[in-house]
Amino acid sequence: MRSVVLRRDARDRPAAPNRRALAGLVRRPGFDYPASMKKRVYNFAAGPATLPYEVLEASAAALLDFQGKGFGIAECSHRGKEFDAVLDEAIARCRTLLGIPDTHDVLFLQGGATQQFAVIPMNFLTGPADYVVSGEWSKKAADVAKGLGGDKIRVIATSEATQFDRLPAPIAPDPAAAYLHICSNETVHGNRFTEWPSHATLVVDASSEIMSRPHPVARTGIIYAGAQKNLGPSGVTLTIVRKDLYDRIPKSVPKILSYKAHADAKSCLNTPPTFGIYVLLETFRWMERQGGLAALEKRNGEKAKAIYDAIDESGGYYKGTVSDKAARSHMNVTFKLPSDELTDKFLKEASAKDMVALKGYRTVGGIRASIYNGMPVEGCQLLATHMKEFAQKNG
Ligand SMILES: *Cc1c(COP(=O)(O)O)cnc(C)c1O
């Protein structure tokens, strides 16, 4: 039998940088990327979303060769010493950044935030539970819970009648409810709870604002978040659980859906999303280099202000979809232009300036700028400038 000889040819070698392409390159500020990379755009995607370039670079290197060992971090056992050290450091850094007390566990789960919508009532619905519906995601969470708990799931406040342009009010949960569920930042509708409400067992879907600012972990029962907005790739769900809640879990809950079983196994009940967890570790390291969550909150506030100012100073040309300014999200800025034609033109011209994925969610329309931790200040400033120039030309 003749063996096939794979000959190395020019295609195996990395391409030399294309000097002509590089000569015309507009290097956008805010990223420290290598000269061989043609361009990195300002990506306003809602999720999966832009990540800090340093996080991508370090994760890419570890994917190829982890600490010079000759194998990548996605190629070793989740029960081996290499990954165990990654897991320990990820948990420790998450605890430090958020100031998580010993009363709470840090879990890395799968199935996204959507799976949490179901698993939370399966584990903790010991009696009636209260849901606040402030947008697309909390509505979905309540609907999934109703499918499992029926009348036990009570929507105590909703702002659906006004297209979720504000937070529902008043919010008066039953202190005896099994838990109070909220979505702290509504990714589609662009509102947020500046301050999380209080309840003996507060459950928070923080998917689209997790670690964009400090969170009151000590007074919260559960915080959960799909990683793909502020933390890393999709496939990891960061869940922080108060340990005393484990007593409520019915025996009928399958082990793979039990928070306690995952906690006992340090998130290694089965094979966890090892590479995703590695990326989270690099994100946590990056967050510490930025000065921690208080520093990120300040920067995120400045980023959001640049765009909201452009809306408010446009003389009504741009209309924010959230009418209550105090409830405006600092992560997902949603606004409308005078017409669909102008919206398309706005998007096209933004794209020509290297700003992409600004189209609003299909049910809301208009523009949505998702400006998570990974979006540099410069990206928001460029968008604000584009808004001003566009309104002047097309007003
Ligand atoms: C994206 C998102 C979800 C859904 O997350 P999956 O990981 O896709 O299940 C849930 N809630 C909020 C607030 C989100 O932004």
Side-chain angles (χ1 to χ4, degrees):
M1 209 169 90
R2 274 177 56 196
S3 62
V4 178
V5 180
L6 285 175
R7 270 196 287 158
R8 292 187 70 81
D9 66 16
R11 281 169 299 184
D12 294 328
R13 287 192 290 274
N18 179 340
R19 304 240 163 255
R20 268 175 65 193
L22 287 174
L25 173 68
V26 182
R27 291 192 71 81
R28 299 291 180 194
F31 304 118
D32 187 15
Y33 55 88
S36 60
M37 190 169 172
K38 196 163 162 254
K39 71 171 172 188
R40 183 163 168 81
V41 299
Y42 294 120
N43 172 11
F44 293 89
T50 195
L51 289 168
Y53 188 78
E54 291 167 49
V55 169
L56 297 175
E57 201 172 38
S59 303
L63 184 64
L64 294 175
D65 186 6
F66 182 62
Q67 296 180 347
K69 288 176 193 285
F71 56 78
I73 191 60
E75 301 173 292
C76 56
S77 170
H78 57 295
R79 307 206 187 275
K81 64 178 191 313
E82 289 84 9
F83 183 73
D84 199 43
V86 166
L87 192 54
D88 281 340
E89 188 185 336
I91 294 169
R93 285 191 186 270
C94 182
R95 284 192 168 282
T96 308
L97 281 160
L98 274 167
I100 300 174
D102 287 343
T103 45
H104 289 63
D105 278 326
V106 173
L107 307 177
F108 299 107
L109 305 174
Q110 302 188 65
T114 306
Q115 182 161 303
Q116 302 290 296
F117 293 170
V119 181
I120 285 163
M122 286 174 77
N123 278 253
F124 305 123
L125 196 66
T126 44
D130 290 348
Y131 278 71
V132 175
V133 171
S134 53
E136 179 91 4
W137 289 111
S138 47
K139 189 174 178 206
K140 280 196 173 125
D143 285 346
V144 171
K146 278 181 204 162
L148 291 156
D151 292 346
K152 278 192 186 169
I153 304 302
R154 306 177 298 204
V155 173
I156 57 158
T158 174
S159 49
E160 190 167 13
T162 55
Q163 285 80 49
F164 303 118
D165 70 332
R166 67 196 73 180
L167 293 174
I171 294 170
D174 178 356
Y179 57 83
L180 168 67
H181 182 281
I182 66 161
C183 175
S184 61
N185 182 86
E186 282 286 358
T187 323
V188 169
H189 290 92
N191 65 48
R192 72 158 182 173
F193 282 87
T194 306
E195 255 185 68
W196 295 0
S198 294
H199 191 269
T201 308
L202 178 67
V203 177
V204 183
D205 175 0
S207 292
S208 50
E209 70 150 349
I210 188 79
M211 299 174 91
S212 66
R213 55 174 171 157
H215 302 307
V217 181
R219 66 171 180 85
T220 306
I222 301 171
I223 303 172
Y224 65 95
Q228 66 273 22
K229 279 118 188 179
N230 268 307
L231 301 179
S234 58
V236 190
T237 313
L238 172 64
T239 304
I240 299 160
V241 193
R242 203 175 64 219
K243 297 176 195 174
D244 64 47
L245 295 173
Y246 299 149
D247 291 344
R248 302 189 191 179
I249 304 172
K251 288 212 166 53
S252 59
V253 171
K255 220 173 158 189
I256 193 67
L257 300 178
S258 157
Y259 289 96
K260 179 163 193 308
H262 280 286
D264 287 348
K266 204 169 87 178
S267 299
C268 289
L269 191 57
N270 65 328
T271 317
T274 53
F275 180 62
I277 293 170
Y278 185 81
V279 181
L280 263 61
L281 168 58
E282 287 295 352
T283 302
F284 296 156
R285 288 173 173 168
W286 176 85
M287 286 173 172
E288 275 180 28
R289 292 198 296 275
Q290 307 310 300
L293 302 189
L296 284 171
E297 178 179 35
K298 187 163 171 281
R299 184 195 299 174
N300 288 329
E302 288 163 8
K303 283 155 54 183
K305 187 173 184 299
I307 305 173
Y308 285 122
D309 281 353
I311 296 173
D312 294 341
E313 290 161 12
S314 72
Y317 188 81
Y318 301 106
K319 288 199 172 57
T321 61
V322 177
S323 56
D324 176 8
K325 289 187 182 175
R328 282 171 160 181
S329 168
H330 283 196
M331 295 284 103
N332 310 99
V333 181
T334 49
F335 60 92
K336 292 196 171 164
L337 279 84
S339 72
D340 288 347
E341 293 70 46
L342 286 167
T343 306
D344 288 345
K345 192 167 184 231
F346 180 96
L347 289 167
K348 236 175 117 188
E349 292 181 10
S351 172
K353 294 178 185 169
D354 288 339
M355 291 178 283
V356 304
L358 282 161
K359 200 175 163 68
Y361 191 78
R362 61 195 143 76
T363 56
V364 179
I367 305 291
R368 170 172 57 176
S370 295
I371 52 171
Y372 304 118
N373 283 341
M375 172 60 64
V377 178
E378 290 86 345
C380 297
Q381 289 167 342
L382 186 66
L383 177 59
T385 304
H386 175 56
M387 289 168 70
K388 283 171 204 160
E389 290 172 0
F390 189 88
Q392 269 162 21
K393 275 193 224 133
N394 299 280

